[in-house]
Amino acid sequence: MSQVVRYELRDGIGVITVDYPPVNALGRDVRAGLAEALRTGLADAGAQALVVIGAGRTFPAGADIREFGQPPQEPSLPEVIDAYERSEKLIVAAIHGTALGGGLEVALGCDYRVAVPSAKVGLPEVKLGILPGAGGTQRLPRLIGVKPALEMIVSGEHVPAPKAKELGIIDEIIDGDLLEGAIAYAKKLVADNAPRRPIRDMQVKLDNPNLFEEFEAGIAKKQRGFLAPFHCIKAVKAVVELPIEEGLKRERELFKELVDSPQSKAQRHVFFAEREVARVPGIDKNTPRREIKTAAVIGAGTMGGGIAMNFANAGIPVYIVDVSQEALDRGLAVVRRNYENSAKRGRITMEQVEQRMSLIRPTLSYDDLKEVDLVIEAVFENMELKKQIFARLDEVCKPGAILASNTSTLSIDEIASATKRPEDVIGMHFFSPANVMKLLENVRGAKTSNEVIATVMDLSKRIGKVGVLVGNCYGFVGNRMLHQRGAEAIALVNEGATPAQVDKVLTDFGFPMGQFAMSDLAGIDVGYRIRQERRKAGENVPPSWLDKLAEQGRLGQKTNAGVYRYEEGSRTPIPDPEVDRLIEEFRKEQGITPREISEQEILERCMYVMINEGAKILEEGIAQRSSDVDVVWIYGYGFPVYRGGPMFWADQVGLDKILEAIKGYHQRLGGAQWEPAPLLERLVKEGKGFGSL
Ligand code: 3HC
């Protein structure tokens, strides 16, 4: 018998147990083991029926993703599932944990399915840029109907067991011991002479002949650029158009097209990058962690309120501190409005709104922070102010409290120097809107202790964020790269492009919004203030037409006018001839003769300048690995997942090609940003990519 699948006879029922930690993924050995265990069970005269179950934490959570892109190995999953579906003996799948992808497909090859109440099922393949390729697209619609199946397959969402029972995926919820319950259930089926129930024999009917067209139109905007969701629809369509054998073949063809596509390669890269990001050399499960039972946020502005919501959502009580009652009231009102909007959309109940609001405690007094385990400062970007706050926190907070700053650009080391405990100081840089964006850049200062880093990395996950550990420098990873792209976008407009043209290239690439629409969202005054500060500090920051916008009070979406104009209550940017005139004037003042700029040049300059900066960031050790940079851009800035992140994308384009273009721009335009990063030059010389680091 295989090492990873066991067979035993229990109480007249043959029990097949998959035991392949951590998630019982259906790798080659598991597939072979499942096939062999089935043969054993069928040959076992003592077994009246069979039960399939997962050992450890879960029913199989899917095919083994590491095998994709490798030469296929027999037996294939569809073959194994086919054998289960054709078995002469009744088979019951007993589900706990997560029966996902190939795991759920195995369960769909069984006659009946039972689950513990906490189990979840789903076909999340679409999130990996593929589709269920072991019969899921053909069996699930036959079992539960075309529309609910389409919804599950195209969204990839996990469905909790009670809902799965309503849908008809699960036949029985088992309270108590799953295996005992499943054996009892199988015995009862045998005693009742229950029929075998192969899904392949079930009939589907389509009530709405336009369902597929309507469904496709419904996802067109949200899934723009992705291949897999549309292939999923095509596969499910085969259920109503073809007999099952042909439908399965069609599913296989579509699956193959996707699995070999650059999109799926990119999405698989993101899957592993997201898991890798939690690993920090020198920190492991033995590194001590501090307990975070209570938290506090300094500053009740948009950022502070958003940050506090993350804690309340995770059930962690959190103080919000500000200097005036008015500021607190305003901040809390915004938080409440956000929660109530979520409730209106049905995402949470009104009861949850109240429960979460009750965890957020406004206060004017630092004395309330004496006992908290973590404080996050989220005030205006001003070093002096931050240092005063940290000196104060150092006085009031208990020993062992973690003192964090949400700064997006300032030095954590300098902030930490205002305290006598720099080892407890760390950056926690949230992205706006802080209650929505999943990225959290955790900034390690020169003296931050491993214990504090480990605690904050764990906490990130607990509050629903993807925490990325980064080093201390201006703008850290994300904003440092973004600032280069922003400067290049402005330069392109100075030279002759329109803001809308630049933005279109970026949205065509797959970003949810372009550089200038993003400036309007963030507020034109934000960049203006940073530029003015830098000018005051004596830095050479060239004048910009964006300064003029700010000076005219065109501050972006909040004033219905910025780089674009906005209709009252709308967020759709509309190009504004007034801004074109202003840019024209600016060019004249600067003696610039505008020229036609190609989309190719816009894309190259906006993207390659980021890649070059990314290479410098890697070389300086600001990011631990190139896939961390990808995660930052995907979760913080909406980089299209199907392109895998900037560094992965660069490897796909070819670093030699990128380096050559960078050298060309350096010659033509000059500037430190175009000086080729030595790491990039070295990789090209060695014929390697960022993925090799
Ligand atoms: N294949 C290979 N490795 C997998 C895997 C899979 N399907 N699923 C998880 N793992 C690995 C992870 O990489 C991680 O490894 P690490 O410890 O070395 O980093 C480990 O298992 C634990 O995973 P998580 O850290 O993600 O653990 P969680 O408890 O947070 O989540 C989970 C568990 C919900 C199962 C989550 O891992 C997950 O969503 N997995 C992917 C599920 C999936 O997409 N299944 C479909 C696969 S495609 C398929 O089945 C095709 C078929 O239709 C032919």
Side-chain angles (χ1 to χ4, degrees), residues 374 376 404-406 426-430 440-443 456 459:
L374 164 79
I376 302 174
S405 171
N406 176 51
I426 190 165
M428 288 178 77
H429 177 212
F430 289 79
L440 185 52
E441 276 183 334
N442 294 323
V443 190
V456 166
L459 177 70

Side-chain angles (χ1 to χ4, degrees), residues 243-260:
I244 185 147
E245 275 314 321
E246 283 176 49
L248 288 169
K249 254 193 230 144
R250 176 92 182 109
E251 175 193 85
R252 205 68 207 156
E253 287 158 13
L254 291 165
F255 174 83
K256 251 200 92 30
E257 269 176 45
L258 289 176
V259 96
D260 294 336

Side-chain angles (χ1 to χ4, degrees), residues 141-171:
R142 283 181 163 83
L143 182 65
I144 66 170
V146 177
K147 187 154 182 255
L150 257 183
E151 275 159 8
M152 264 181 78
I153 293 169
V154 175
S155 73
E157 295 302 332
H158 300 180
V159 177
K163 174 88 200 295
K165 178 155 189 278
E166 270 171 40
L167 285 169
I169 301 173
I170 301 295
D171 299 294

Side-chain angles (χ1 to χ4, degrees), residues 517-663:
M518 205 163 131
S519 312
D520 274 355
L521 179 69
I524 299 294
D525 47 330
V526 176
Y528 178 68
R529 248 189 262 133
I530 294 176
R531 286 192 296 278
Q532 291 293 73
E533 284 294 315
R534 289 172 59 196
R535 285 174 186 135
K536 262 195 245 157
E539 279 184 57
N540 177 23
V541 181
S544 156
W545 47 272
L546 281 161
D547 296 340
K548 293 187 183 229
L549 292 181
E551 283 154 13
Q552 288 181 10
R554 297 187 62 123
L555 304 184
Q557 275 190 22
K558 58 188 165 194
T559 55
N560 284 339
V563 178
Y564 299 96
R565 68 180 183 84
Y566 299 84
E567 302 284 352
E568 187 59 45
S570 153
R571 291 178 179 193
T572 310
I574 307 169
D576 190 343
E578 226 176 89
V579 175
D580 293 341
R581 266 196 301 281
L582 188 137
I583 293 170
E584 200 49 52
E585 239 170 64
F586 175 81
R587 289 184 189 131
K588 275 199 197 117
E589 276 168 30
Q590 300 291 315
I592 301 168
T593 313
R595 62 182 173 90
E596 279 284 316
I597 299 188
S598 70
E599 294 200 344
Q600 163 91 0
E601 179 173 345
I602 294 173
L603 185 69
E604 284 188 6
R605 284 176 59 182
C606 287
M607 297 301 299
Y608 293 178
V609 80
M610 290 210 307
I611 304 302
N612 203 31
E613 197 64 32
K616 292 174 190 173
I617 282 170
L618 283 170
E619 192 144 49
E620 291 167 28
I622 295 296
Q624 298 188 89
R625 41 183 100 79
S626 71
S627 60
D628 283 11
V629 180
D630 292 334
V631 171
V632 163
W633 270 82
I634 285 167
Y635 287 107
Y637 303 87
F639 192 100
V641 180
Y642 57 81
R643 295 193 196 273
M647 308 320 271
F648 181 86
W649 175 78
D651 279 351
Q652 307 307 300
V653 173
L655 295 192
D656 48 350
K657 188 175 155 203
I658 293 179
L659 177 62
E660 204 184 304
I662 286 176
K663 283 181 173 164

Side-chain angles (χ1 to χ4, degrees), residues 163-202:
K163 174 88 200 295
K165 178 155 189 278
E166 270 171 40
L167 285 169
I169 301 173
I170 301 295
D171 299 294
E172 185 104 336
I173 301 280
I174 306 269
D175 293 304
D177 185 81
L178 175 63
L179 182 56
E180 275 174 26
I183 290 174
Y185 185 78
K187 286 178 73 170
K188 180 158 189 315
L189 289 174
V190 172
D192 292 351
N193 254 329
R196 286 213 47 250
R197 232 183 23 159
I199 292 179
R200 64 169 54 235
D201 296 343
M202 296 181 186

Side-chain angles (χ1 to χ4, degrees), residues 22-23 25 57 61-66 68 77 98 100-102 105 124-125 128 130-134 158 255 271-272 275 279 461:
V23 298
R57 64 200 237 203
D64 191 331
I65 301 168
R66 291 164 301 191
F68 293 148
L77 190 57
T98 43
L100 302 175
E105 290 173 303
E125 284 88 341
L128 296 167
I130 53 175
L131 52 76
H158 300 180
F255 174 83
F271 177 85
F272 288 112
R275 281 153 182 82
R279 278 188 256 274
K461 197 168 179 190

